Amino acid sequence: MNYFLDNPDLVTTFDRVVPWQRIVPLTQGKDANVADTVATWREMLAVAGEYIGTEIAGRAKLVDELGVIRDGGRVETSAPMNANLRGLAELGFVGLSLPEAYGGSGLPFTVSSFGVEMIARACPATMVEFGIGFTEPAAMILRFGTEEQKQRYIPRVVRGELKGAVAMTEPQAGSDVGRLTTTATPRQDGCWILQGRKQFISAGQGDLVIVLARSVGSSGLDGMGMFIADREGDNYVVERAEHKFTIRGSPTCALLFEGTRATPLGKPGDGWKQILTFMNESRLGVGIQGIGVATAAFEKASEYAAQRVQMDKPIREHPMVAEMLLEMETTVTGARALAYTAAVLQDLVLFGHDEQAARDLREITPLVKWYGTEGAVRVCRLALQIHGGVGVVDEYDVGRFMRDSLITPIYEGTSQIQSLMAVKDLMKVTMRRPRSLLGRGPSRLLADASFDGRVGSDFAAARGHIVGVLRSLVLRLVRRKGPGLLRGAPLGDEDLGPILLHAERITEALAHVHVARVLAERARRIPERRRLAERAARTARLVAERNRRAIALDDGSVFARIAAWRSERR
Ligand SMILES: Cc1cc2nc3c(=O)[nH]c(=O)nc-3n(C[C@H](O)[C@H](O)[C@H](O)COP(=O)(O)OP(=O)(O)OC[C@H]3O[C@@H](n4cnc5c(N)ncnc54)[C@H](O)[C@@H]3O)c2cc1C
């Protein structure tokens, strides 16, 4: 199979949706010929799609079966995984979005996103080894490193000779990264010494690691810095790779730093700011990973439902199964539409320093992650259900898709953390402009959108439910804290209690409404997409209405339970 040419929605996204007239001059220089450049990129994706759809997809089952090789305490990737990574390096895929000056291809983020989605569809474990092992360390060094660090590491990473990792998580510091205790101490000669432990580090068995550590004596998010540590000479220890049921071919390592020599990446003290930039990009990557695995599951389920006959007809002709397939298609297409909208914004921000694009990107990034990954789990679950009994049989692959999908709402910030980010940001904007609650709400992207017909009325109703929820939550807050709140009085987490409780409900509604928006915008140019846009808008309306009712009917039992647990602690 060709994972580019055989995926009509991906091809449509490339051919008819991405605004190449803006992206090409911005990323390749204003003299670049748009048509020729786009034709070259398309050809490259078609060649890669063939390799990924045959070779990498063909090895995915074996990558999963073999898992991680633990050879006399040494952690390694399996032979088929190594073949995948070699193949991607030979295709020039490792340096896709890195500048030509360092051996890369200098392509926009949008183009590399197509590649990432195809790899994730073929083998999500390979996507992690590829993305975290090569792309992310190189991208971080490019963004924050000195010229010497760039020359030293990036060309070798691009050639696939060096593999890295990015280590933030520690046993006591997961979602709450501020609790990390790994320390960095400067030495006279400019070298820094790391002391501490990291856990759950993807591709941690590689040749170098970028470590988030704090200067001795600092606390919270201040005083953090990024450091590069080479593994050479047992400079740090790969203690183990976890035994796990998801992305089994990608080692998830525990690392020990005891007197590890490291060099700062950027200014020590800027670590938190740097990591946030990095996480925004990688959250888009994980959202796209979700789309990849969901595409694989949807494809399998569609094939199976067409050929499996029960009660005298293919099961896809039974209305409940047909509806499952339709839901899967809407989810995958909607997630893709939102993710590639974000990818384009990312290029406008990275290459054009466009501030409005940066604000829009900040608004939709947690939604791409939330919808792409929660959507992937739902789609894989439906694919398994459509397979009936054979769904749990290894040969049929859908069990592997299900297992692999389950990691996506966890790493790079869980779904709950995405929800907190989305809703806290929305509340900030709301409190700055409370009058927006009398109209179409605080989100510019949603407030400016308007569509004709059934899509338009469902979209407007869904947006109205979200504005209604915000209005009632703000009123509750004002009653408790007084009207000073509307003039900018600061809000703590305790004040935000009810909003934080319902953050995921609000995020779910927001994600569906944004998906309905981008699909409706697309349907204006591609009329054959209208039915799907109508379905997405109808779903958004139902989800927003259901969640608004759930929030309104909140009986306080969650806070009563928290109060009881707190008193147990005292
Ligand atoms: C396979 C795998 C690969 C990984 N790769 C990397 C990597 O390469 N580099 C790296 O640094 N890390 C990596 N991680 C770590 C990953 O990012 C963390 O596991 C993740 O951020 C969650 O942290 P945690 O596991 O400590 O869970 P916790 O933070 O303990 O969360 C547990 C639960 O509590 C919820 N929760 C926590 N705080 C709140 C809150 N304030 N409000 C509501 N709910 C909350 C969470 O949503 C979750 O459901 C990886 C993890 C895995 C499993």
Side-chain angles (χ1 to χ4, degrees):
M1 274 200 85
N2 186 315
Y3 274 9
F4 182 67
L5 296 179
D6 299 343
N7 183 340
D9 189 54
L10 201 62
V11 172
T12 302
T13 304
F14 188 95
D15 287 345
R16 297 171 70 181
V17 177
V18 175
W20 296 119
Q21 277 77 2
R22 285 188 82 184
I23 301 289
V24 172
L26 201 59
T27 60
Q28 312 298 301
K30 53 184 185 328
D31 296 332
N33 180 308
V34 175
D36 288 353
T37 309
V38 174
T40 309
W41 290 344
R42 196 181 194 281
E43 179 58 25
M44 181 210 69
L45 289 173
V47 171
E50 186 68 32
Y51 176 78
I52 294 166
T54 50
E55 300 282 327
I56 296 188
R59 287 190 279 262
K61 199 189 284 274
L62 196 55
V63 164
D64 182 67
E65 268 168 31
L66 295 175
V68 171
I69 309 299
R70 297 168 178 85
D71 185 10
R74 236 191 121 69
V75 174
E76 281 168 20
T77 43
S78 65
M81 170 65 86
N82 295 339
N84 288 347
L85 299 176
R86 241 188 343 268
L88 289 170
E90 281 163 13
L91 269 178
F93 246 55
V94 174
L96 223 50
S97 53
L98 296 166
E100 289 171 39
Y102 302 104
S105 309
L107 300 192
F109 184 85
T110 308
V111 177
S112 54
S113 298
F114 284 87
V116 167
E117 183 189 326
M118 292 192 286
I119 302 171
R121 176 178 168 192
C123 177
T126 299
M127 187 217 132
V128 173
E129 274 305 289
F130 165 79
I132 308 267
F134 298 123
T135 313
E136 289 190 347
M140 289 184 83
I141 294 170
L142 178 72
R143 192 144 326 151
F144 307 116
T146 61
E147 190 51 37
E148 195 212 329
Q149 286 170 328
K150 291 179 198 174
Q151 297 289 355
R152 175 167 177 202
Y153 292 107
I154 301 176
R156 292 177 64 201
V157 172
V158 169
R159 290 197 296 273
E161 293 166 12
L162 273 188
K163 204 186 233 182
V166 179
M168 295 178 282
T169 307
E170 297 182 7
Q172 77 298 341
S175 303
D176 188 1
V177 182
R179 296 190 69 192
L180 68 82
T181 57
T182 296
T183 56
T185 313
R187 249 180 15 186
Q188 295 280 333
D189 60 0
C191 171
W192 289 61
I193 300 298
L194 303 182
Q195 206 73 32
R197 260 204 164 82
K198 294 284 176 184
Q199 83 171 3
F200 295 150
I201 307 308
S202 298
Q205 80 290 354
D207 309 286
L208 66 111
V209 59
I210 295 176
V211 182
L212 185 67
R214 64 171 65 263
S215 322
V216 176
S218 67
S219 62
L221 301 178
D222 297 330
M224 287 190 194
M226 309 286 300
F227 298 86
I228 308 179
D230 294 320
R231 176 131 173 245
E232 206 175 7
D234 291 331
N235 191 25
Y236 58 90
V237 180
V238 180
E239 288 190 305
R240 62 173 189 281
E242 310 295 348
H243 292 265
K244 60 192 197 307
F245 70 77
T246 182
I247 50 167
R248 282 177 33 80
S250 163
T252 308
C253 302
L255 307 180
L256 174 66
F257 302 92
E258 279 185 320
T260 301
R261 297 172 309 283
T263 49
L265 178 62
K267 209 166 102 217
D270 278 357
W272 181 241
K273 234 171 36 200
Q274 291 169 304
I275 214 75
L276 283 184
T277 328
F278 155 79
M279 286 219 280
N280 280 338
E281 261 173 62
S282 52
R283 281 171 180 163
L284 295 181
V286 177
I288 290 172
Q289 183 181 33
I291 297 166
V293 67
T295 302
F298 174 51
E299 184 209 357
K300 280 269 165 181
S302 303
E303 280 168 17
Y304 187 77
Q307 53 87 12
R308 172 75 176 165
V309 174
Q310 288 292 281
M311 292 152 208
D312 299 327
K313 48 186 164 191
I315 57 170
R316 71 177 180 185
E317 291 174 25
H318 294 296
M320 280 186 275
V321 176
E323 188 169 40
M324 287 186 214
L325 289 165
L326 209 50
E327 181 183 336
M328 293 161 90
E329 185 186 1
T330 313
T331 305
V332 173
T333 315
R336 184 175 291 122
L338 194 62
Y340 285 84
T341 303
V344 169
L345 289 172
Q346 174 77 1
D347 279 322
L348 299 183
V349 174
L350 279 180
F351 295 92
H353 309 290
D354 182 328
E355 287 181 12
Q356 185 57 54
R359 282 192 288 278
D360 293 347
L361 183 61
R362 188 183 164 104
E363 181 175 343
I364 65 171
T365 295
L367 307 180
V368 169
K369 167 80 166 62
W370 190 93
Y371 190 90
T373 63
E374 292 291 340
V377 173
R378 171 92 183 128
V379 166
C380 290
R381 162 85 178 82
L382 291 175
L384 212 142
Q385 191 67 17
I386 284 175
H387 277 75
V390 299
V392 303
V393 175
D394 286 347
E395 262 167 78
Y396 284 79
D397 291 332
V398 279
R400 171 163 54 86
F401 300 152
M402 179 84 249
R403 288 189 283 109
D404 284 348
S405 74
L406 284 167
I407 186 57
T408 62
I410 292 177
Y411 57 17
E412 299 295 353
T414 64
S415 291
Q416 290 69 46
I417 298 303
Q418 302 311 305
S419 303
L420 291 182
M421 284 174 49
V423 169
K424 281 183 177 178
D425 257 16
L426 191 68
M427 284 308 290
K428 256 194 232 153
V429 183
T430 306
M431 296 323 256
R432 272 204 302 270
R433 291 192 300 114
R435 289 181 70 83
S436 68
L437 294 179
L438 300 174
R440 292 168 157 197
S443 156
R444 186 193 68 87
L445 287 171
L446 294 182
D448 288 355
S450 122
F451 307 100
D452 297 333
R454 200 196 291 171
V455 170
S457 56
D458 283 336
F459 173 82
R463 179 179 57 199
H465 287 304
I466 293 177
V467 176
V469 164
L470 292 176
R471 210 181 293 137
S472 71
L473 290 171
V474 168
L475 269 176
R476 248 198 261 181
L477 265 175
V478 170
R479 267 190 226 117
R480 273 198 14 235
K481 296 275 294 179
L485 201 66
L486 298 175
R487 291 190 293 274
L491 275 174
D493 272 11
E494 286 298 314
D495 304 319
L496 288 174
I499 293 164
L500 301 188
L501 166 62
H502 298 298
E504 195 161 3
R505 288 194 178 92
I506 300 171
T507 301
E508 184 186 23
L510 279 171
H512 277 276
V513 177
H514 275 283
V515 163
R517 174 180 66 83
V518 289
L519 285 177
E521 280 166 2
R522 192 168 289 193
R524 278 191 184 129
R525 273 175 297 148
I526 311 173
E528 59 270 30
R529 290 304 165 89
R530 183 127 201 115
R531 293 302 295 269
L532 208 69
E534 282 175 358
R535 197 171 167 85
R538 173 60 51 93
T539 306
R541 179 182 190 156
L542 291 171
V543 168
E545 189 175 329
R546 180 196 68 203
N547 289 4
R548 182 183 187 176
R549 283 182 62 75
I551 294 168
L553 293 175
D554 176 7
D555 65 357
S557 55
V558 171
F559 288 104
R561 179 57 64 90
I562 291 174
W565 282 329
R566 272 200 187 140
S567 65
E568 276 171 28
R569 265 205 290 146
R570 281 190 203 112

